[in-house]
Amino acid sequence: DYYRARGQESLARADFDHVIAIPVAPDNGGGYLDRARAYEEEGDLASALVNLDSANRVDPTMREVYVERAAIHATRRDYEATIADCNDALRLNPRDADVLSRRGDAYLDLARFAEARADYDSAIAIEPAVADHYADLAEKAREATQMRRPCA
């Protein structure tokens, strides 16, 4: 994004090619994470997930791996997988407001409103700036209620 914002796509491509070409040691979870982020930046989510899975096998305590995977799953609208990765990230850091908020968003997209609200409440208790998610919760709940009303 840095290069693209400045109209330097060829430098962006060279930077991407450099990151991807660097061999990752089989025991280097951080290397797989870096490579996954490069693939994600390029829009290759499948390759990003492969590298995140490799990073997770090397070091299952890397919270960032779960956070990145949850973001990709959310982009792909795989909300159950998003929730699972958020759960794993929260086991490592239960006070991560961003992860609570992301999991709340996944619950919201699955119309699991009580769970979404619980996560938003927890996130806001940690970081009040995430309060804007309540508007999304109210809108989706209103839409769900209108869909269940019988037509007159």
Side-chain angles (χ1 to χ4, degrees):
D1 283 345
Y2 172 83
Y3 295 118
R4 287 188 185 96
R6 289 161 180 74
Q8 300 171 329
E9 286 82 9
S10 62
L11 290 175
R13 187 68 204 175
D15 202 25
F16 171 77
D17 290 343
H18 175 73
V19 170
I20 298 307
I22 297 171
V24 176
D27 62 346
N28 182 355
Y32 287 114
L33 178 60
D34 290 342
R35 183 179 282 170
R37 288 177 172 155
Y39 277 121
E40 186 177 4
E41 184 73 27
E42 287 293 307
D44 186 349
L45 302 182
S47 295
L49 284 172
V50 166
N51 279 273
L52 289 169
D53 290 344
S54 295
N56 187 262
R57 278 191 296 280
V58 170
D59 185 357
T61 66
M62 290 180 63
R63 185 190 63 80
E64 300 88 353
V65 171
Y66 298 111
V67 172
E68 292 287 334
R69 278 197 330 201
I72 291 171
H73 292 312
T75 298
R76 298 173 107 187
R77 297 182 178 180
D78 184 351
Y79 302 119
E80 293 295 343
T82 301
I83 291 166
D85 276 329
C86 286
N87 290 342
D88 288 333
L90 289 167
R91 274 192 272 287
L92 297 170
N93 179 8
R95 295 193 44 82
D96 189 323
D98 291 331
V99 173
L100 284 163
S101 182
R102 181 178 305 281
R103 188 175 70 179
D105 291 344
Y107 284 135
L108 185 61
D109 286 321
L110 292 171
R112 292 164 60 178
F113 302 122
E115 292 160 295
R117 181 174 180 141
D119 275 353
Y120 294 153
D121 286 345
S122 297
I124 289 166
I126 297 164
E127 177 55 56
V130 299
D132 61 330
H133 290 278
Y134 277 112
D136 295 334
L137 176 62
E139 179 64 26
K140 293 253 183 169
R142 186 171 35 258
E143 289 171 6
T145 300
Q146 289 173 349
M147 288 174 52
R148 283 182 281 198
R149 286 188 186 149
C151 295

